[in-house]
Amino acid sequence: MHKAQIAALTAATLVVFGAYYGLADALDLVPGVLTASPADYTVQPFPTASAVAQEPDAASGLAADAPVPDAAELTALANTLAGDERVGKGTTGVSIVDVVSGEELVDVRAGSPLTPASSNKVPVAWAALSLMGAEHTLRTTAVLEGSTLTLVGGGDVLLAEDAGDPDATVGRAGLGDLARSAAAQLEAQGVTSVTVALDDTLFTGPTWNDAWAAGNESWVAPIQPLMVDVTAYPSGGYPADPAMDAAQVFADHLRAAGISVTGQVSRAAAGAEATELAAVESAPLADILSVSLKASDNTMTEVEGRLVALAAGEEASFDGATRAVLARLRDDGFDVSGVTMRDSCGLALGDKVPARLLAQIIARAAGDDAGTTGRSLMTALPVGGLDGTLDDRYVGISGAGTVRAKTGSLDTAASLTGTVVTADGRLLAFSVIVDGFEEGGLYSARMAIDDDLVSPLAACGCGG
């Protein structure tokens, strides 16, 4: 039989079989979707929920009775780090404090002043929050005297180039918004042409610290009281004159808003008779610190130090900032003896701070009675394996999510200052500084800090 005939007979058979099966399905004799029975589409009510509403449980915190780690075991960890060949000839200082009791559990050269690197930002942040408050904001203003419109810097170095975002921290205040508001006021007064000046006299002294080694220009901008978004330069390449660049942007927006700007932007303090036309305001200080501490932004921290100086009645310079920070710490009951601060951000090798002071600041901030100052500081610190300068550390090992700390990294010094929750649920404040290893040893020293001390602390089931 030909293949064509076989295929035709097979198809016919399938058609006949399908017809008979469909009839059987309609009569509900075999399984299928067809039926000859009348349809019943009566809608059934949803069942009534019978569970009794429950009040949500309060968020559980750390166990109040979590065991305190054995001090001898923790000291052994610190000594292991100090003797690790990966720290080379570096000097190691470690202080570990039980947050609940305030007791120092580990003292390995904890009182020795060492180069803290960016852990130096911790005392600056405490002083700023303690003196100015978490809700403090920074105003950038435009003032008019005669035919001169002056842009006055108020310490905001996160300015948006154009429109601000009221829900953002970086770019909360916008130079474009400021210019348009000022232009509207000028037009209301019948003014169509102005000269523009920049007033950046809020800060005094040099914009560069002579305690910083050459090459650090990649890590810090000239310190001035206004700048268009300093975070836009993660790999350096900062403008030579950030404040003047911001003033040029402001002038361009004035022109776009219909105001004629004559001549070049000049530098001059606003006169005593100048009238404020418009202002824009930064995010609160607590949010600003969260940006600067998580990213370890040197420029922002130097600005914050100067703002502390202004609030304390000091001159807003490098020296005035460090004097004001130390004075505030002293007023708040911290022992600052032996401390040398050459800058706020920690780039200076001449900075010398004991690990004990750093750990005590963190222990105070993490305590139950720390208030807004402490909560804001702790919230601003990077979290292991999650964000900021700790986003790539403790990934897949003990410490991810349980270490919250400020990092510090220089060519010859490494540090880490923050809190860790042990496996037993005990909250510890700590600071570790390794100072004086050979150049090129930063990565090894950092690994030793994590491997020998901090990650074992997080994994510690060593209740005494």
Side-chain angles (χ1 to χ4, degrees), residues 201-216:
T201 60
L202 183 68
F203 297 166
T204 59
T207 61
W208 178 261
N209 194 321
D210 59 10
W212 294 339
N216 277 312

Side-chain angles (χ1 to χ4, degrees), residues 361-374:
I361 293 172
I362 292 296
R364 176 91 65 89
D368 288 340
D369 58 352
T372 304
T373 293

